Amino acid sequence: TGLVVFRLYLIVDIIKFANVSVLLSMAGKTKALMYWAGLMLAVNTVLNIVGYWLLGIIGPAVATAMVSVLNTVYLLWRGANILQCKSKNFFDWKHLAVFAAEVLVCGLLTEMLRQLLVGFGMAALWVIVLCGAPFCGVMLLLNWKEIRQSFSRINYLEEEG
């Protein structure tokens, strides 16, 4: 159960990393953003309690993941309105699908390796190192070209500014 909760909170952190609230802040909509954050806090609190009653210890993690997705979708929608475009145009969906497939395949292979190492009775720290390092390395190699291109574009923008 602890591993499932940990994984759910990793998903929450990944979602929050995409901090789309910056669009509202830049547009001067900080008051609306604060009201929305307060509402999401209240909804998360209620759903955490309900989730605990219904699902036990995993309930709050599921509730928080759901609220994080809802929050991100709403903020993307509001950001699209501010930019006067459709939120579906925010992403290169083909690239996102390819990346998701890479993460899924690498994640499944990493999980198989983790189960094998745990089955051998390996210490948790070594399992993390021997699973995490190859996962990160493979993902880095698969996306190296895009990463370099992104850094080149950032450097070009800094030189212009």
Side-chain angles (χ1 to χ4, degrees), residues 80-102:
N81 287 339
I82 289 168
L83 296 173
Q84 298 177 348
C85 70
K86 295 183 187 258
S87 54
K88 70 177 184 176
N89 297 334
F90 278 175
F91 304 104
D92 176 351
W93 291 102
K94 180 182 174 191
H95 182 76
L96 197 59
V98 168
F99 183 74
E102 291 171 356

Side-chain angles (χ1 to χ4, degrees), residues 11-75:
I11 291 169
V12 168
D13 286 342
I14 290 168
I15 291 169
K16 288 184 179 183
F17 181 76
N19 191 3
V20 292
S21 65
V22 72
L23 293 171
L24 274 75
S25 295
M26 289 175 22
K29 307 282 186 191
T30 53
K31 191 174 184 178
L33 192 55
M34 290 303 294
Y35 285 133
W36 179 253
L39 176 64
M40 288 295 94
L41 177 62
V43 168
N44 193 36
T45 301
V46 170
L47 289 179
N48 271 267
I49 294 167
V50 171
Y52 184 77
W53 286 339
L54 294 174
L55 302 172
I57 195 73
I58 198 171
V62 171
T64 300
M66 289 172 24
V67 169
S68 294
V69 169
L70 172 68
N71 184 49
T72 301
V73 168
Y74 174 76
L75 292 174

Side-chain angles (χ1 to χ4, degrees), residues 135-146:
F135 177 86
C136 293
V138 169
M139 291 302 296
L140 186 65
L141 287 173
L142 288 172
N143 294 285
W144 184 249
K145 183 178 177 182
E146 289 89 0

